[in-house]
């Protein structure tokens, strides 16, 4: 690569190959979006005529999609609550305290992210089957939390590390109690990270397939499992519309995370600049 | 608290404070530890136990013998082969793309990263479906090839190993691009400049300086996509034929269709051992890389 750097032909070749690879990543998504409005939803591209029929079919009588969607939304909401409780406490413990066996706890948190999901799913199946809890939204949510909570913990660890501890110390030195510090300093600064953690927990659970498939029953099928079934066993062209909605949902969620991060990025700076104007703890700064 | 604030000896309050911080830490870490011990470690442990038990509860290695013979063994080899092909392809594509992105202007680089990151957050099922539409006989790829009058078109691109590897590679690629981009940005450009000022040619700089610096990153990115592919079955199950059955599909079939939990458990443990071996290799490779960086600095 290096030897190509300065030659024009080399640059053009690299750009062309990179563009093809980017298309390789983006095209499957673009094709779904286009096909969801196509008259012929089956393996024919580009479409000959346009229609909204696949979207209408989602809500037709006997459609399985509304039930699958509401189950997935319920499960993801529960899983998000569990993940945030676990995430906030774990991140606080890992970042802001003296924790014995800290690296062991951290390794445990990373475990579900590196172990094949099918193995976790099999273990959870063996766990919930004897309790006759297969198909229970609670069981599926508890299962999803095994994957979603570690992601929340990682995001919140980064959030807490990014908060200047001197702000908390300063508040304490001025006589603020623990609760006041948490409510007026730490929580507002951590809020963007908490929202990001919530969104990522929700997406993780909403898209989760392996655990859902093992913990589902005939009557309770999550959205990804229903998509999988539609692609393997049944022929249901409205799966294109569902896929397009899922793509829109993913883009919306990522946009939301970016927005929250952007809004939150100014906050600690503004607090620190207050600190600067007061003239406290301003090492190396110019006198105000 | 009151006692620590009014205590005269300075050493004692500090010690008390430390132990208090420790107690608070344990309290905060408790939810995640308990949760993962009950719903992650214990279930995997019971999978391990189940794989070692016969129908009557006695100890046996029968399920492992079963998992490592006949059709099951060929599924294991298929899994390793498809994972290796996926890892090599996503490493090559990832290397080229990450290289290209490091050379782009910030705005274009940001856009390119968006194209890498957005698919990563779109459900793998949805992206697989996109590939099925694209690779069919009348899909985008074959229609384009036919229009260009490529001899032999339309090609059979689905329900064979080619389709599976195309699909899984596109699933693993975001990971390798993100990892390699981070590694490449971490390379100290001054080292390259120093070599150049001493008269090294571009090929020599690439081979003797740049490649050794990014090699640990390349190795761990390749291993990571290999490990992630091992336990994967969404894309192989939907885009492959009977000859592309992977170990995760087998586990699913044994549980849901054949009610054969012990066999599935043994397959799961084999998959787990392969994954842990891969992770150990990643750790060795990255620590080798760290010590090399230290020496060169």
């Amino acid at each position: 690569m290096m030897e190509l750097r300065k030659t024009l032909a080399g640059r053009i070749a690299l750009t062309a190959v990179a563009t093809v690879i980017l298309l390789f990543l983006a095209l499957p998504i673009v094709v779904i979006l286009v096909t969801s409005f196509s008259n012929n939803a089956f393996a024919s591209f580009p479409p000959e005529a346009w229609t909204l029929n696949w979207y209408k079919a989602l809500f037709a009588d006997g459609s399985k999609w509304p039930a699958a969607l509401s189950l997935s939304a319920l499960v993801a909401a529960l899983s998000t609550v569990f993940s945030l409780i676990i995430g906030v406490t774990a991140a606080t413990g890992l970042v802001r305290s003296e924790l014995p066996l800290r690296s062991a706890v951290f390794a445990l948190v990373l475990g579900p992210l590196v172990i094949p999901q099918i193995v976790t799913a099999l273990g959870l199946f063996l766990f919930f089957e004897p309790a006759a809890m297969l198909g229970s939204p609670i069981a599926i949510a508890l299962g999803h939390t095994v994957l979603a909570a570690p992601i929340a913990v990682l995001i919140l660890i980064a959030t807490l590390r990014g908060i200047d501890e001197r702000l908390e110390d300063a508040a304490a030195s001025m006589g603020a109690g623990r609760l006041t510090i948490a409510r007026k300093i730490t929580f507002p600064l951590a809020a963007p990270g908490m929202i990001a953690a919530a969104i990522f927990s929700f997406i993780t659970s909403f898209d989760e397939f392996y655990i859902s498939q093992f913990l589902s029953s005939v009557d309770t099928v999550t959205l990804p499992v229903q998509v999988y079934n539609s692609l393997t066993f049944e022929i249901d062209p409205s799966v294109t519309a569902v896929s397009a909605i899922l793509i829109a949902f993913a883009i919306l969620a990522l946009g939301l995370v970016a927005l929250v991060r952007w809004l939150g990025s100014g906050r600690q700076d503004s607090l620190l600049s207050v600190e600067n104007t007061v003239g406290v703890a301003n090492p190396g700064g110019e006198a105000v | 608290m009151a006692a620590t604030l009014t205590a005269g000896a300075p050493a004692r309050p500090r010690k008390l404070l430390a132990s208090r911080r420790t107690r608070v830490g344990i309290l905060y870490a408790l939810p995640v530890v308990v949760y993962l011990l009950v719903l992650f470690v214990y279930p995997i442990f019971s999978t391990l136990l189940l794989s070692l038990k016969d129908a009557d509860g006695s100890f046996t290695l029968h399920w492992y013998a079963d998992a490592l013979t006949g059709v099951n063994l060929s599924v294991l080899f298929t899994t390793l082969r498809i994972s290796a092909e996926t890892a090599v392809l996503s490493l090559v594509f990832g290397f080229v793309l990450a290289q290209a992105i490091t050379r782009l202007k910030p705005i274009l680089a940001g856009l390119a990263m968006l194209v890498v990151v957005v698919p990563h957050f779109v459900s793998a099922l949805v992206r697989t479906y996109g590939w099925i539409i694209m690779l069919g006989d009348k899909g985008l790829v074959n229609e384009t090839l036919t229009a260009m009058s490529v001899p032999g078109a339309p090609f059979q691109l689905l329900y064979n190993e080619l389709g599976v590897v195309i699909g899984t590679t596109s699933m693993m690629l975001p990971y390798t691009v993100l990892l390699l981009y981070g590694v490449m940005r971490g390379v100290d450009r001054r080292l390259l400049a120093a070599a150049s000022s001493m008269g090294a040619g571009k090929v020599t700089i690439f081979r003797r300086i740049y490649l050794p610096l990014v090699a640990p990153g390349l190795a761990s990115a390749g291993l990571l996509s290999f490990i992630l592919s091992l336990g994967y079955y969404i894309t192989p199950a939907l885009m492959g034929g009977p000859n592309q059955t992977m170990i995760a599909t087998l586990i699913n079939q044994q549980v849901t269709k054949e009610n054969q939990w012990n066999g599935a458990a043994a397959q799961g443990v084999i998959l787990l051992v392969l994954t842990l071996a891969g992770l150990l290799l990643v750790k060795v490779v990255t620590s080798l890389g760290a010590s090399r960086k230290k020496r060169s600095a």
Side-chain angles (χ1 to χ4, degrees):
Chain A
M1 293 301 133
M2 290 295 296
E3 70 271 23
L4 294 178
R5 194 176 195 180
K6 289 263 163 69
T7 64
L8 188 65
R11 279 198 82 106
I12 293 173
L14 182 61
T15 313
V17 175
T19 310
V20 171
I21 299 173
L22 285 174
L23 282 175
F24 179 76
L25 284 166
L27 268 181
I29 293 172
V30 176
V31 163
I32 290 270
L33 289 174
V34 174
T35 307
S36 72
F37 298 105
S38 159
N39 209 14
N40 182 355
F42 289 106
S44 167
F45 198 92
E48 288 132 22
W50 306 95
T51 179
L52 281 174
N53 281 351
W54 315 131
Y55 289 90
K56 287 181 193 148
L58 295 183
F59 304 100
D61 287 340
S63 165
K64 290 174 177 167
W65 297 109
L69 175 68
S70 54
L71 177 67
S72 277
L74 170 70
V75 166
L78 284 172
S79 177
T80 303
V81 173
F82 299 157
S83 301
L84 271 188
I85 295 171
I86 292 172
V88 168
T89 48
T92 310
L94 283 165
V95 177
R96 289 289 155 87
S97 69
E98 280 144 37
L99 189 63
L101 300 173
R102 185 192 300 258
S103 54
V105 173
F106 195 65
L108 180 66
V109 168
L110 289 182
L113 300 180
V114 292
I115 297 303
Q117 290 185 15
I118 186 83
V119 176
T120 311
L122 178 63
L124 285 164
F125 176 78
L126 298 175
F127 185 85
F128 284 117
E129 208 276 343
M133 278 179 79
L134 296 185
S136 141
I138 297 276
I140 303 174
L142 287 171
H144 286 183
T145 305
V146 173
L147 296 179
I151 294 171
V153 174
L154 291 184
I155 294 175
L156 290 165
I157 284 178
T159 306
L160 278 186
R161 287 228 174 102
I163 294 175
D164 195 329
E165 234 176 313
R166 289 175 305 165
L167 294 171
E168 291 166 5
D169 295 343
S173 75
M174 289 171 181
R178 269 178 174 282
L179 269 179
T180 315
I181 295 174
R183 197 165 52 83
K184 302 201 87 164
I185 308 281
T186 316
F187 184 76
L189 288 175
M194 286 173 71
I195 295 172
I199 292 172
F200 282 119
S201 305
F202 194 91
I203 303 180
T204 304
S205 166
F206 199 75
D207 277 346
E208 206 290 327
F209 172 71
Y210 296 96
I211 291 173
S212 298
Q213 200 184 31
F214 272 58
L215 299 185
S216 285
S217 68
V218 184
D219 307 320
T220 51
V221 174
T222 65
L223 198 59
V225 177
Q226 186 63 47
V227 169
Y228 184 83
N229 291 346
S230 303
L231 291 177
T232 37
F233 310 120
E234 306 149 19
I235 295 172
D236 180 359
S238 49
V239 71
T240 8
V242 176
S243 302
I245 292 171
L246 286 175
I247 293 169
F249 176 75
I251 294 174
L252 189 77
L254 278 178
L256 211 60
V257 171
L259 181 72
V260 166
R261 284 264 160 86
W262 180 69
L263 287 176
S265 64
R267 206 170 273 169
Q268 183 159 356
D269 294 342
S270 69
L271 265 178
L272 279 173
S273 64
V274 168
E275 191 183 88
N276 287 350
T277 48
V278 177
V280 190
N282 187 16
E286 285 179 355
V288 186
Chain B
M1 272 310 271
T4 58
L5 284 174
T6 51
R12 199 172 145 72
R14 193 172 298 146
K15 199 183 169 201
L16 261 178
L17 205 67
S19 69
R20 213 191 87 85
R21 271 181 77 108
T22 308
R23 265 182 285 134
V24 170
I26 292 171
L27 199 65
Y28 276 126
L30 217 51
V32 78
V33 170
V34 171
Y35 198 94
L36 291 179
L37 283 181
V38 174
L39 281 154
F40 177 65
V41 176
Y42 170 72
I44 286 178
F45 185 68
S46 51
T47 306
L48 180 64
L49 278 185
L50 192 68
S51 73
L52 294 169
K53 269 187 198 158
D54 222 340
D56 57 2
S58 58
F59 171 84
T60 179
L61 285 174
H62 166 74
W63 305 110
Y64 286 94
D66 207 35
L68 296 172
T69 47
V71 185
N72 291 343
L73 185 66
S74 65
V75 167
L76 181 61
F77 281 135
T78 306
T79 308
L80 291 170
R81 189 180 66 240
I82 290 178
S83 301
E85 288 161 355
T86 303
V88 169
L89 273 181
S90 51
L91 194 59
V92 172
F93 288 2
F95 185 83
V96 174
L97 188 53
Q99 265 292 324
I101 294 177
T102 48
R103 275 135 204 264
L104 287 174
K105 295 198 173 69
I107 291 179
L108 282 177
L111 275 175
M113 287 312 266
L114 212 59
V115 178
V116 175
V117 171
V118 169
H120 183 57
F121 283 97
V122 171
S123 155
L125 281 159
V126 170
R127 285 183 287 154
T128 302
Y129 185 34
W131 274 116
I132 293 173
I133 294 176
M134 267 177 46
L135 297 181
D137 282 350
K138 288 188 173 285
L140 179 64
V141 174
N142 269 323
E143 291 284 283
T144 312
L145 291 176
T146 313
M148 289 162 69
S149 40
V150 173
F155 297 102
Q156 175 72 33
L157 301 173
L158 272 182
Y159 312 117
N160 55 22
E161 191 148 328
L162 179 63
V164 171
V165 173
I166 291 175
T168 46
T169 300
S170 83
M171 304 298 149
M172 298 308 153
L173 192 52
Y175 292 105
T176 44
V177 175
L178 292 173
L179 239 158
L180 291 175
Y181 183 68
V183 170
M184 287 170 183
R185 296 215 27 178
V187 170
D188 192 338
R189 296 272 147 192
R190 287 173 301 175
L191 293 174
L192 309 182
S196 178
S197 75
M198 288 172 179
K202 289 191 157 39
V203 178
T204 314
I205 296 176
F206 180 72
R207 203 169 49 83
R208 307 255 335 242
I209 314 280
Y210 189 74
L211 216 50
L213 281 174
V214 296
L218 279 172
S220 42
L223 278 168
L224 185 80
S225 45
F226 179 75
I227 294 168
L228 289 173
S229 306
L230 285 177
Y232 196 65
Y233 83 83
I234 293 177
T235 310
L238 292 172
M239 294 179 73
N243 288 332
Q244 284 79 46
T245 303
M246 292 186 48
I247 197 165
T249 323
L250 202 62
I251 294 174
N252 184 37
Q253 282 172 359
Q254 287 188 326
V255 171
T256 55
K257 294 204 180 109
E258 294 158 37
N259 229 5
Q260 186 46 266
W261 298 7
N262 307 70
Q267 302 273 1
V269 172
I270 291 171
L271 187 55
L272 188 68
V273 169
L274 286 174
T275 306
L276 292 176
L279 286 171
L280 197 70
L281 262 177
V282 172
K283 208 168 157 60
V284 170
V285 163
T286 43
S287 63
L288 277 180
S291 66
R292 179 182 294 156
K293 212 167 221 172
K294 224 176 212 167
R295 265 190 286 124
S296 75

